[in-house]
Amino acid sequence: MVYLARYEREVNNGHRSAIKRILEGDASPSSLMVLCVSSFHKKCEPKIGTSPVASNGAESSNAAKVELTDGWYSVDALLDELLSEHLVAGKLFVGQKLRIWGAGLCGSVGPVSPLEASGSVSLLLNVNGTYRAHWADRLGFCKGVGAPLAFRCIKSNGGPVPWTLVGLTRIYPVLYKERRTIIVEGIVSEFQRGNKGPNIFNDSDSEEGAKILKILETAAEPEVIMAEMSPEQLTSFATYQAKLEATRQSDIEKLIEKALEDAGLRERDVTPFMRVRVVGLTGKDYHGKDRSTEGIITIWNPTEKQQCELVEGKAYAIAGLVPVNSDFNTLYLQAKGSTTRWQPLSSLAVEHFKPFFCPRKAVLLSNLGEVSLSSEFDIAAYVVHVGEVYTDSHQKKQWVFVTDGSVPELQLQESSQSLLAINFSSRYMDDDSFLPINYNLVGSTVGFCNLIKRAKDQINHLWLAEATENSTYFLSFDVPQCSHLKSAAASAQRWAKISTVIIDKLKEKVLVITDFGSKPMKRLGVSATYSAYQHFNPLKCLPVFLH
């Protein structure tokens, strides 16, 4: 009677179970469903083309296989590495129901009957989409959507994330990536490690600069030796270094040109992308350890709607994220603009979570010490000096010196807070997107966003900052992206109009720092620290020595 009732329901009435619909190609394996663990298989090595794939594309060597059932049919399931560890630890057991979302299917070349799929077709389960289900939950496909995965619970190697809640804290500008970028970066990396390219340093080189370089490479305290050099010796050393750098640059350009030609990438193939910084939402009733996990999401081919409607400070429900890496408390994820859904949370829903957003504000040089190292900050400042573009480690770089008048006049001579040196750089030498800062900006008030604070140069009494590819600068403060800098910019501009004498003194200070060719090295504190020379020698187009 049981078989007759089942035949009547399945064949005559067309009621098929979840596993049957998936194997026959009429339902997606990524749909939300509840299945039960019916048995375990012995640990097996994954087969080519059927093994679980980690988020970074690597096959897992610790995969385990279980059998799942929907009450009618069964199917094998390959577990990712983290789920396999749960299995070994006894957290998965026969009879346990699992709520599965975002699973994959492997080993199938087309629709197949559940009775013919034994051992050849498997579901692919990942820890980010597999959760415990209540013992009384009904097996099969679920109606509606499941609960979102807490952002702090996302595993970087745990596969796609079906749904999570985040607060959007920063939006960075749209950038463009070429297919050849990967090849160029690989060539540069290999070259810097010394795996490619000729050895251009000759032990028998009779040039004085070569002899000095050899001495410095073997010296225990090269900065002491440099401090005792004559101006003529320093000039010889700098000239020889420029020669080495020119040779290196020529070699790497030839390698890049050949690699691009071999790959058939002479024509440009550009893909737009944008990055956003997010933070996991924490419920007001959560009393555990307050650990907010930050994330950087790269959106490939963002839609116009995403570019226009994503807003800093709003909370979103996101579906379709793929984690790729993690670093301390930062999780890196990727998304495709056309397939990733960003659903804004209502104001009523946001009230259930703790505040997560700190609005952008203008940072003054007088309180830059309150900003943590490697943190982002925005500033509106008067441009004192724009340095020349130079090449260092196969990158184009440029220094820009600014001030904002927030430091009292009496402290300008002694204080390390009167100037900020910002380093702009390209990712690699062959970077057409690198646009040098125009020298005409000297004397203008400029707004800089998303700068990274670096360690202070104690010798030259300077704050240091780095402008990354996520950084931007503005000459007008009426656009929404930099409206928070408008007041600080007006204050800096008013100060500059009545402080020409102070600005001239700051320009002299910058010229002393950058003029390595005509000023003694000891005036720059090289005898006290080697780092100052490393930071600012390039401003006169002298390569940093000992790469």
Side-chain angles (χ1 to χ4, degrees):
M1 294 296 295
V2 174
Y3 294 108
L4 290 177
R6 177 170 172 177
Y7 182 87
E8 177 71 16
R9 183 176 180 185
E10 181 175 351
V11 178
N12 295 337
N13 297 331
H15 295 167
R16 293 175 295 166
S17 70
I19 291 179
K20 183 176 177 66
R21 290 177 61 188
I22 290 173
L23 295 181
E24 292 181 346
D26 295 325
S28 172
S30 63
S31 302
L32 179 62
M33 55 187 165
V34 175
L35 299 179
C36 180
V37 180
S38 53
S39 68
F40 295 150
H41 291 275
K42 292 183 179 179
K43 181 179 177 181
C44 59
E45 293 297 329
K47 298 178 181 179
I48 297 177
T50 63
S51 59
V53 179
S55 59
N56 60 2
E59 293 185 356
S60 171
S61 60
N62 298 319
K65 181 183 287 188
V66 300
E67 184 185 77
L68 302 177
T69 180
D70 60 4
W72 284 38
Y73 296 99
S74 63
V75 66
D76 288 341
L78 287 171
L79 310 181
D80 69 0
E81 187 171 346
L82 294 177
L83 284 176
S84 298
E85 293 176 0
H86 291 332
L87 178 63
V88 174
K91 296 180 180 180
L92 293 177
F93 50 87
V94 174
Q96 182 181 31
K97 290 184 179 180
L98 300 176
R99 186 176 294 270
I100 300 169
W101 201 358
L105 189 66
C106 68
S108 175
V109 294
V112 62
S113 169
L115 301 177
E116 299 173 354
S118 178
S120 62
V121 182
S122 299
L123 288 177
L124 302 178
L125 305 189
N126 61 79
V127 72
N128 285 335
T130 304
Y131 324 106
R132 294 187 182 93
H134 191 269
W135 66 268
D137 284 351
R138 185 175 181 177
L139 295 177
F141 290 123
C142 302
K143 295 181 180 179
V145 296
L149 177 63
F151 193 77
R152 64 177 179 273
C153 296
I154 296 175
K155 305 298 182 184
S156 60
N157 57 342
V161 181
W163 185 28
T164 190
L165 303 180
V166 300
L168 202 161
T169 58
R170 290 292 181 268
I171 299 177
Y172 300 112
V174 176
L175 301 173
Y176 299 88
K177 187 178 182 69
E178 297 187 68
R179 284 183 58 199
R180 61 180 183 174
T181 299
I182 299 176
I183 295 178
V184 173
E185 290 176 344
I187 293 294
V188 172
S189 178
E190 290 290 326
F191 193 91
Q192 290 176 336
R193 289 198 299 264
N195 296 337
K196 290 186 178 182
N199 181 11
I200 60 177
F201 181 78
N202 190 345
D203 291 337
S204 61
D205 201 322
S206 59
E207 291 188 30
E208 183 180 12
K211 295 178 181 178
I212 294 174
L213 179 57
K214 186 175 181 180
I215 293 173
L216 292 174
E217 285 183 330
T218 57
E221 297 181 345
E223 68 276 6
V224 176
I225 297 177
M226 289 187 64
E228 297 176 352
M229 290 182 185
S230 65
E232 292 78 14
Q233 289 176 316
L234 290 172
T235 300
S236 298
F237 171 63
T239 302
Y240 183 72
Q241 275 205 293
K243 175 182 175 182
L244 290 182
E245 185 63 21
T247 305
R248 291 191 186 99
Q249 189 59 43
S250 176
D251 291 340
I252 197 171
E253 287 176 356
K254 292 178 181 177
L255 289 172
I256 292 174
E257 184 177 356
K258 184 178 185 303
L260 292 176
E261 185 174 354
D262 293 343
L265 295 176
R266 301 297 296 175
E267 297 183 359
R268 305 186 67 174
D269 184 4
V270 180
T271 302
F273 69 96
M274 64 182 292
R275 295 190 182 100
V276 296
R277 183 180 294 273
V278 299
V279 63
L281 298 181
T282 304
K284 290 184 177 179
D285 57 349
Y286 177 74
H287 301 293
K289 185 177 180 181
D290 192 3
R291 180 175 58 89
S292 297
T293 301
E294 283 195 329
I296 299 292
I297 302 176
T298 301
I299 308 173
W300 295 100
N301 289 309
T303 63
E304 292 185 7
K305 182 177 180 181
Q306 289 170 344
Q307 296 181 41
C308 298
E309 297 185 2
L310 292 181
V311 179
E312 293 182 359
K314 283 194 173 183
Y316 295 86
I318 311 179
L321 294 178
V322 178
V324 292
N325 196 7
S326 62
D327 179 16
F328 298 104
N329 288 327
T330 302
L331 181 66
Y332 297 89
L333 309 101
Q334 292 188 351
K336 292 183 179 179
S338 58
T339 59
T340 305
R341 300 192 305 274
W342 295 72
Q343 181 64 40
L345 298 186
S346 65
S347 56
L348 182 62
V350 173
E351 291 179 359
H352 294 87
F353 300 100
K354 297 179 180 179
F356 65 88
F357 181 58
C358 293
R360 291 179 182 267
K361 63 179 181 180
V363 174
L364 301 177
L365 286 181
S366 58
N367 57 23
L368 189 55
E370 300 173 5
V371 178
S372 304
L373 284 178
S374 301
S375 296
E376 293 179 345
F377 68 95
D378 301 348
I379 188 172
Y382 177 88
V383 179
V384 176
H385 178 82
V386 175
E388 299 175 9
V389 178
Y390 66 97
T391 302
D392 175 33
S393 300
H394 311 293
Q395 292 180 318
K396 296 176 183 178
K397 294 186 177 182
Q398 185 181 30
W399 286 92
V400 176
F401 294 80
V402 301
T403 188
D404 65 0
S406 62
V407 179
E409 182 178 350
L410 295 177
Q411 301 179 18
L412 285 177
Q413 297 301 324
E414 300 86 10
S415 175
S416 61
Q417 304 177 28
S418 58
L419 280 172
L420 169 66
I422 307 171
N423 184 19
F424 292 80
S425 63
S426 64
R427 297 182 62 184
Y428 45 85
M429 186 61 190
D430 187 23
D431 189 354
D432 296 335
S433 64
F434 179 76
L435 298 176
I437 304 300
N438 197 301
Y439 300 105
N440 294 332
L441 289 184
V442 173
S444 303
T445 301
V446 180
F448 299 92
C449 291
N450 308 323
L451 298 179
I452 305 296
K453 182 182 176 181
R454 297 307 183 197
K456 186 189 302 181
D457 180 358
Q458 301 289 355
I459 300 300
N460 293 301
H461 305 297
L462 290 172
W463 292 110
L464 299 182
E466 179 184 358
T468 67
E469 61 183 1
N470 293 328
S471 304
T472 55
Y473 67 92
F474 302 88
L475 301 180
S476 172
F477 300 91
D478 294 326
V479 294
Q481 295 90 329
C482 65
S483 58
H484 61 290
L485 298 176
K486 190 171 185 178
S487 177
S491 177
Q493 201 163 8
R494 288 193 300 268
W495 171 84
K497 288 181 180 180
I498 60 174
S499 306
T500 55
V501 176
I502 297 176
I503 292 174
D504 289 340
K505 290 182 180 179
L506 293 177
K507 289 182 178 180
E508 291 177 2
K509 182 177 181 180
V510 173
L511 291 176
V512 170
I513 294 172
T514 60
D515 195 358
F516 281 81
S518 59
K519 299 291 189 297
M521 295 292 289
K522 289 184 179 180
R523 291 186 60 181
L524 300 172
V526 177
S527 59
T529 177
Y530 183 47
S531 63
Y533 177 76
Q534 288 179 310
H535 280 141
F536 293 103
N537 188 26
L539 291 173
K540 292 295 292 181
C541 298
L542 301 181
V544 176
F545 98 99
L546 296 182
H547 289 305

